[in-house]
Amino acid sequence: MRVLVLGTLMDHKQGGANQALMLFANRLAKHPLLTPIVYLYSYESELLDPSITIIRYNAPRSYRFLWRFPSLFMVSQLRK
């Protein structure tokens, strides 16, 4: 089963929610039945398991009030 993890930035300086997402994605990668796909704007490759599929996208020019990502449909089309 593929699991989409939505994140923004994943680097050494991150803490809080972004740090938790990095740990979550790395744990998912170790599970034999799950395939994590991470959508983010920037990351440091050594922080994520090499088996994780990355969808990298440019940060939006203006952030929406509650949601900083495009629609899930658009994200799903980026990988193809």
Side-chain angles (χ1 to χ4, degrees):
M1 175 190 332
R2 293 182 293 172
V3 178
L4 178 63
V5 178
L6 297 174
T8 53
L9 307 169
M10 293 189 180
D11 60 28
H12 288 296
K13 299 174 192 170
Q14 292 299 313
N18 285 333
Q19 181 69 32
L21 286 175
M22 283 188 277
L23 293 172
F24 180 66
N26 286 327
R27 296 274 168 101
L28 286 175
K30 293 181 185 338
H31 193 283
L33 300 177
L34 300 176
T35 304
I37 301 169
V38 179
Y39 175 93
L40 42 75
Y41 302 135
S42 72
Y43 72 103
E44 294 177 14
S45 60
E46 66 272 5
L47 297 176
L48 293 172
D49 189 289
S51 68
I52 296 175
T53 301
I54 304 294
I55 299 175
R56 191 155 182 236
Y57 202 67
N58 296 327
R61 289 187 197 132
S62 62
Y63 291 117
R64 299 176 189 167
F65 180 66
L66 293 175
W67 195 247
R68 297 180 181 187
F69 305 99
S71 70
L72 286 179
F73 175 76
M74 183 179 166
V75 171
S76 69
Q77 298 306 306
L78 291 173
R79 189 170 177 275
K80 294 180 179 181

